[in-house]
Structures are given as C-alpha cells and as structure tokens.
Amino acid sequence: MKQLFTILSAMVIMAACKPKAETDQTKVLSAVDSAEFAAFQEWKEQQEAKKNAETKTVYVVQKQAAATTSNSTTTATRKKWSNATKGAVIGGVGGAIVGGVVSKRNRAAGAVIGGIVGGGAGYGIGKTIDNKQNNQ
C-alpha cells in the first residue's frame, strides 16, 4: 500500500511540474497582436508628424508706424463707481470692523455678519442717492 501511495504521489508531482505546451491559438493571437501593434506605431508616428507640421507653421505680422504724428492725446476715461457701489463697499468694510470689535465670543462670525449688514445698508443708501441724482 505504501508503494502504491508513493508511486501515485510521484505521478501527481510530475504532472503538476510539467510545463504547459503553447497552443496554436496563442501563437496566432501573438502574431495578430504584433501586427496590430506595428500598425498602431505607424499611425502614431503619422499623427506626430502632422502635429509637428502644424505647430511649425508660424505667421509673422509686422506693423509699421504711421508716418504722420498727431499732437492731440486721448486719454481713456475710467468708469466711475456708482454711489450704490461705493456705499456697499464702505458699509461692508465698516460693518465688518464694527462687527469684529463688538462680538466677544467669535470675532470672525461677527465681522462676517457686520460686513453683510453694513454692505446692505450702504448699498441701500447709495442707491437712494443715485435715484435722486437721476431724477434731477
């Protein structure tokens, strides 16, 4: 019985260690894969060549100075802030300062709340001034 068990164990070990033979199907897939890879490489090179050709095209535009000079100077006028915008900014900053100073527990929250309330009040006052100026 021991001899039978030893022979059977040896056969199982030999069968387990035997390398698998490659099938024809894997060889065909490798050939197809390598052909597709080569086609991909060729396509990639063509795309890079097109990209390089497109990026190398440079257009140079030269502007010539005008022959005549003008003595008049034009200055760009900046658009002024409306009274509503000024009021909102001033009220927001002032409200944030007052809110931060007044709040003892959480100064940041007090500053945020004060800024919102002050900005709203300043906007309202500025809008009223704008409306009065537009009606006159």
Side-chain angles (χ1 to χ4, degrees), residues 74-119:
T74 58
T75 57
T77 58
R78 290 178 33 190
K79 185 177 178 183
K80 294 182 180 181
W81 283 14
S82 67
N83 289 325
T85 306
K86 288 179 194 176
V89 170
I90 294 169
V93 170
I97 292 171
V98 171
V101 170
V102 171
S103 178
K104 296 292 181 187
R105 291 185 183 169
N106 192 351
R107 296 198 187 275
V112 169
I113 293 171
I116 291 171
V117 171

Side-chain angles (χ1 to χ4, degrees), residues 52-63:
N52 289 339
E54 290 174 3
T55 57
K56 287 183 181 178
T57 304
V58 177
Y59 297 100
V60 177
V61 177
Q62 295 178 350
K63 292 185 178 181

Side-chain angles (χ1 to χ4, degrees), residues 24-134:
D24 292 334
Q25 185 178 9
T26 57
K27 289 180 183 177
V28 170
L29 288 178
S30 332
V32 170
D33 287 343
S34 62
E36 288 179 2
F37 184 70
F40 171 73
Q41 290 289 351
E42 185 177 325
W43 174 81
K44 187 176 176 182
E45 289 175 3
Q46 289 174 356
Q47 294 300 321
E48 288 178 2
K50 285 181 185 178
K51 184 178 179 182
N52 289 339
E54 290 174 3
T55 57
K56 287 183 181 178
T57 304
V58 177
Y59 297 100
V60 177
V61 177
Q62 295 178 350
K63 292 185 178 181
Q64 294 179 349
T68 60
T69 58
S70 172
N71 290 336
S72 65
T73 58
T74 58
T75 57
T77 58
R78 290 178 33 190
K79 185 177 178 183
K80 294 182 180 181
W81 283 14
S82 67
N83 289 325
T85 306
K86 288 179 194 176
V89 170
I90 294 169
V93 170
I97 292 171
V98 171
V101 170
V102 171
S103 178
K104 296 292 181 187
R105 291 185 183 169
N106 192 351
R107 296 198 187 275
V112 169
I113 293 171
I116 291 171
V117 171
Y123 177 78
I125 293 169
K127 190 68 172 172
T128 304
I129 294 171
D130 280 340
N131 288 339
K132 284 183 182 178
Q133 287 179 353
N134 288 338

